[in-house]
Amino acid sequence: MSEQSGSDLSSVDFDAAWCATDLGKYRACQYTYEDYSLESLPPLDSSQFTGAFRWLGNAGAPIPRQVMKLNGLARDLAARGLTLPRDFVTFQTTENLYGSLDEVSVTGC
């Protein structure tokens, strides 16, 4: 969502970390998920981040019920001066993207 003008986020302090599970002999994990330093991640090619999610394949057709849900949410947010990010809307409203990460979750969450 876009930030409301005049909001002050200077008091927000979150540790930067990657929450993930083990990678066998490459990375141990004591619990289901643990936080790993961002420096431990390999660099990513920023040219791949266009909002099309090409690495997940074709986005597919819109899902009417999801489009309706997000349109309603977008109207509510617009009344407060906020918007949903376009990439988020794409991911949540197309048949091949929506729920695609559920298949790769260790816990199926």
Side-chain angles (χ1 to χ4, degrees):
M1 289 188 281
S2 65
E3 182 181 323
Q4 278 186 313
S5 61
S7 66
D8 179 17
L9 299 178
S10 63
S11 64
V12 176
D13 182 26
F14 292 107
D15 292 334
W18 179 257
C19 182
T21 189
D22 70 64
L23 293 175
K25 67 181 183 178
Y26 301 103
R27 180 176 67 200
C29 186
Q30 184 176 357
Y31 307 103
T32 304
Y33 293 106
E34 287 189 34
D35 291 342
Y36 298 91
S37 73
L38 295 181
E39 293 77 25
S40 72
L41 298 173
L44 298 174
D45 179 0
S46 62
S47 70
Q48 297 296 312
F49 300 101
T50 64
F53 302 98
R54 293 277 183 242
W55 66 90
L56 292 173
N58 181 6
I63 305 169
R65 66 177 160 69
Q66 283 299 105
V67 171
M68 285 178 44
K69 282 183 189 179
L70 262 62
N71 284 344
L73 177 58
R75 281 190 300 276
D76 292 346
L77 292 172
R80 293 169 175 79
L82 300 169
T83 59
L84 290 169
R86 181 184 51 83
D87 298 357
F88 176 81
V89 173
T90 299
F91 196 87
Q92 292 295 315
T93 60
T94 53
E95 64 185 0
N96 295 336
L97 296 178
Y98 178 72
S100 63
L101 298 181
D102 294 349
E103 298 171 11
V104 295
S105 168
V106 174
T107 60
C109 297

